[in-house]
Amino acid sequence: MHKRVKERAPAVEECLHQLNENKLQDCLKDLHPADIAEALPRVPLAQRVRVMRAAGPEKAALILYELDRDMIPPLLEALGPKRLAEVLNDMSDDDAADILGELPENQKDQLLNLMEDAEANDVRELLKYGKNTAGGIMTTEYVSLKEDITVARAIDHLRQVGSEVETIYYVYSINENAELTGVISLRELIMAPPDARLEQVVTRRVVSANVWDDQEKVARMVAKYDIIAIPVVNDHNQLLGIVTVDDVLDVLEEEATEDILKLANLDVGGQDLVETGPWQRAFRRLPWLVGLLFGGLIAGNVIKGFSGTLEQVTALAFFITAMAGGPGNAATQSLALVVRGLATGEVNQRRLLKTIFKEAQVGAIVGIVSGAVLALVAVLWQGNTSLGLVVGLALAINITISTMLGSFFPVIIQRLGADPAVASGPFISTLMDVTSMFVYFSLATWLLL
Amino acid sequence: MHKRVKERAPAVEECLHQLNENKLQDCLKDLHPADIAEALPRVPLAQRVRVMRAAGPEKAALILYELDRDMIPPLLEALGPKRLAEVLNDMSDDDAADILGELPENQKDQLLNLMEDAEANDVRELLKYGKNTAGGIMTTEYVSLKEDITVARAIDHLRQVGSEVETIYYVYSINENAELTGVISLRELIMAPPDARLEQVVTRRVVSANVWDDQEKVARMVAKYDIIAIPVVNDHNQLLGIVTVDDVLDVLEEEATEDILKLANLDVGGQDLVETGPWQRAFRRLPWLVGLLFGGLIAGNVIKGFSGTLEQVTALAFFITAMAGGPGNAATQSLALVVRGLATGEVNQRRLLKTIFKEAQVGAIVGIVSGAVLALVAVLWQGNTSLGLVVGLALAINITISTMLGSFFPVIIQRLGADPAVASGPFISTLMDVTSMFVYFSLATWLLL
């Protein structure tokens, strides 16, 4: 079975390149939409169109959703808006909103006008919410029932609507004001007495998200409570939709990618890792690189201020690279720990002070040991004890400071309402470049001259 | 509803501190195990024991699984092995294996001997597989049925076993050799004609994982195919267990955390972000820091080799920090992109050359622009055109090299079977420190003297 999955790859390629329409239709039936979407970028555009037509609207909808977003505009162009609107009709409303939300206004409106009214209205509703909110990732295709119906009737209802909703694994109970009153899983439902009423069997304590909640918060709730879907309500506790676990997986992946890239001073969306052009990529990186360069130059200006000292003790220059790099690396370590801890919730309000206090201790230990190592090397290498003292002491001080900065700066940034992953790195890096050189050359001037 | 979740926090605290046993039992009933586990570290050990006893074995099992792993040994000590074995009996076998797998051999064996035989044997079976394999995260509590039974009987069976299995949302069909032959979701099952036989309704193309597959690979399959559980088979396609989406969420979170920390030169497990002591933390970071320090020192030795040049043009020292930092930052950017791309599968075999080629272009653009900026600043700051040429040219060359290194080095590391996230950073960092200084001072010696 495992092997079968592996062996499927060539079959996918072969099928997608099939030019005979009947054969193409036939072989597509046997393929998973996710596999087709993965291989589709590797066939020419004209053939992509042929594949989408041959797949039929329902499967084409699943394929389309799995595609990289930047492949959609050309496909839209080639398929024609009418055909694409048909595909969007067959897509679940949250997925359709996801795709439409990334298209230019005029194309979006054109498609919405071509779509079936009911479907288009659902999608328009979802598009009102921000892309990164619970509302932006929820689907309105869920099952909700009044509490007075019986378990048997509820199951009958599921049988009827099963193919139209995103999940039938949870049934939500609502009152006459559409307020969420309870939840029951399909598992509990089929195990419950058929003639019991829903009100007797639903769970009253429902974990739910607010429609304006950030998508990451919603994702973490689903992960924490090990549920397959979470209901989304407005401020009046009225049920508006659900977020399912497959979307949660995407959100968590996306957020992790974003954090990794931001920590590497690179603020790009996860989607376009590979597909954007080199100029676009370069100009996304340059602001950070050039900004950091100026940090290095300010540090250079500090060195210039001490050029008298440097001219007398040229050996000081040999340690500049280690002295600039060490504190930066130490800050990165504690920064990554705290930023990730804040994201996953492992570093929370209650643990905050404890974490920072511990990082201060860690910084002192790491600083003293590194300083001692560098001092020893300096003495052995340059045969100069005072120089060893200077570099060792400077490194110890700088690493201690930078570790502490790395741990509490992201927390402050978060408190100020900004994103700790993106703002902390460059700031600390620049600050530490300057501080390190200042401490180093000040100590040198004081102890060596 | 949303508010209700928020307001629950103080209720949790209040309940957990309850000393009256009856009241404690009562209020625990209303709390979610995940909320209890989150708050439990904040009550004294003796009270934790009281909470676990009052919760009853079934709920205690859910709480225990959600706890940070380092809280378990003291709890084991305090609860006594017999009580803990009872709790483990009530836990799903994969979760129990997960917890037991992290205990010392003797404690593990003691608990396994105290557990019920059937349960203990399941857990022993799972412990055979590596912690990070499909076998290590799968549960053996799933539903499999022969193909000749009817849909109605299958649903009846689900009603009976529903409370014992991890998920009833998929039913797997097997043949007389226990080989996996098909799958049907509960959703399809309740919509199928009750008198149809399973063989008529199951899907034959089953996505499955091999028991020895890496957990990350399994997680990515579940994410890709948007399924709630994936069957796990051995090399003979015999069904051994399933991996459910809640475990997949944990795996993806864990892997993302690991990658983030490794990219920050910090190789620690995700679990112990907060709970380990400062000495332990410090000694995990020191090897990397000290290693990188030596990289900086080798670069310093290169500078020493050019001390004649430096003594004649002291201004060269003012650019060392920028010259050492820039290429490092550029390498980190492309490194993070490629390491994350490799992890999520966005950078795959077919896109590899394309990615590296594009990164080389990006590196050249980024290098030339950064170099031009630095050259301009150098001319304006130092009023020396030749010096401007040297620093600009050196930075352009170094950033181009480092961007390329950052993109293809992790790929090579992965090809060699090692972890690209952990090995790439320090190597590139050290190599670029040395290369940068060599290029910079060589150009200076050539063009300025």
Side-chain angles (χ1 to χ4, degrees), chain B residues 179-253:
Chain B
E179 287 163 0
L180 178 62
T181 59
V183 64
I184 183 165
S185 67
L186 178 53
R187 176 187 194 140
E188 293 162 324
L189 205 57
I190 73 162
M191 291 171 69
D195 52 351
R197 290 182 188 281
L198 279 193
E199 57 193 355
Q200 300 168 277
V201 291
V202 294
T203 303
R204 296 291 169 191
R205 280 182 310 105
V206 194
V207 176
S208 67
N210 185 283
V211 71
W212 295 106
D213 277 347
D214 185 80
Q215 63 171 0
E216 188 169 6
K217 186 183 164 189
V218 179
R220 299 229 171 264
M221 285 171 80
V222 172
K224 177 179 169 186
Y225 294 107
D226 284 349
I227 44 185
I228 292 172
I230 190 169
V232 178
V233 297
N234 62 16
D235 293 336
H236 307 296
N237 194 28
Q238 288 167 319
L239 185 60
L240 299 179
I242 60 169
V243 172
T244 49
V245 72
D246 54 316
D247 296 321
V248 164
L249 280 172
D250 294 341
V251 168
L252 289 180
E253 284 281 271

Side-chain angles (χ1 to χ4, degrees), chain A residues 253-328:
Chain A
E253 284 281 271
E254 201 183 293
E255 299 281 346
T257 298
E258 270 181 37
D259 278 356
I260 287 178
L261 298 184
K262 283 173 189 164
L263 281 171
N265 300 318
L266 196 58
D267 194 6
V268 297
Q271 290 291 349
D272 34 21
L273 281 185
V274 186
E275 296 300 328
T276 51
W279 283 95
Q280 212 178 335
R281 290 178 150 213
F283 280 92
R284 275 186 178 163
R285 299 189 200 177
L286 274 166
W288 298 105
L289 281 181
V290 171
L292 289 166
L293 220 49
F294 277 92
L297 284 172
I298 304 173
N301 205 24
V302 172
I303 301 177
K304 191 183 180 189
F306 288 97
S307 48
T309 309
L310 183 60
E311 271 160 28
Q312 287 182 54
V313 193
T314 317
L316 285 172
F318 311 158
F319 296 93
I320 292 179
T321 44
M323 193 64 70

Side-chain angles (χ1 to χ4, degrees), chain B residues 414-432:
Chain B
Q414 198 184 44
R415 280 283 167 88
L416 295 175
D419 182 341
V422 74
S424 309
F427 178 86
I428 294 179
S429 182
T430 298
L431 187 63
M432 282 319 300

